Amino acid sequence: MDFLAGCIGGAAGVLVGHPFDTVKVRLQVQNVDKPLYRGTYHCFQSIVRQESMFGLYKGIGSPMMGLTFINAIVFGVQGNAMRYLGQDTPMNQFLAGAAAGTIQCVICCPMELAKTRMQMQGTGEKKSKRKLYKNSLDCLARIYKREGLSGVNRGMVTTLIRETPGFGVYFLAYDVLTRSIGCEPDDPYMIPKLLFAGGMSGIASWLSTYPVDVIKSRLQADGVGGVYQYTSIADCVRQSVRREGLRVFTRGLTSTLLRAFPVNAATFATVTLVLLYARGVEEGPKDCELGPPNTAHHTQLPQQTQASSL
């Protein structure tokens, strides 16, 4: 049931947040010499005007397909890690989250590669004159045919660098917030508290790793059309900083933070509601914190987490 609730919650998060993710990617990888967008609002406006509302949802198939596997990995690893570590402490929450973030990169990296390529396809066109990829699966198949396994896993190192501490910070922030504000099943403000804790944890996680995400997006978008601009992570960082300065590491941050709160809020609220209806409030434990069962200090609702993009 935890798995099903996580999948439903993750799907809700993707539907709410994907338009913001499309804007983030477009801003991160646009040509600084000939920028198409002046900022977050202008990017939203331009995509809707030039590509219709569906332009904001380009590439959504990839994260939707990957949700089941990612949530299964995150739930299993985080839960087992907490049981192995024994004590429910903030540090253990960080370590368990980091372990979950690391292992789910196996699915996350190819998924985000396909998502990024699909989001960049047909930029500025309502109807793409020439579609390189039919869908997310076709995108990965074509990349594999042309570049092999290394091509499908392009950006894996930066994904690991982002996801490992990112999930650690996420679970740590959520644990600290839920300990501070409390949220019992009979509390009339339980859902608003979950929304707040989930949303703020997502923001904290993104702020901790955002510069790495910029480089990851640029590496994964590189090679569209057969032209490669970067030879390595260091080369991407060097070229980006030389041409755009340190502000390059904040490109798309506004849309990311605007996305982070509702995505994580929607995910946690949905997960919690599904679990409460499925198991019954009277059988549920007292708090909404994450951790192993039967801890000495307090009990929790079953493990809840977000989709990989946080």
Side-chain angles (χ1 to χ4, degrees), residues 12 15 87-89 154 169 235-236 260 268:
L15 287 171
Q87 291 185 321
D88 179 21
T89 64
R154 187 173 181 81
V169 169
D235 182 55
C236 182
F268 268 92

Side-chain angles (χ1 to χ4, degrees), residues 58 118 121-122 125-135 138 142:
K58 282 183 177 178
M118 291 295 293
Q121 182 170 257
E125 300 175 358
K126 184 166 285 191
K127 271 195 171 183
S128 299
K129 295 181 179 66
R130 188 179 71 88
K131 282 190 175 182
L132 186 59
Y133 311 116
K134 297 175 185 176
N135 51 51
D138 180 59
R142 285 175 178 269

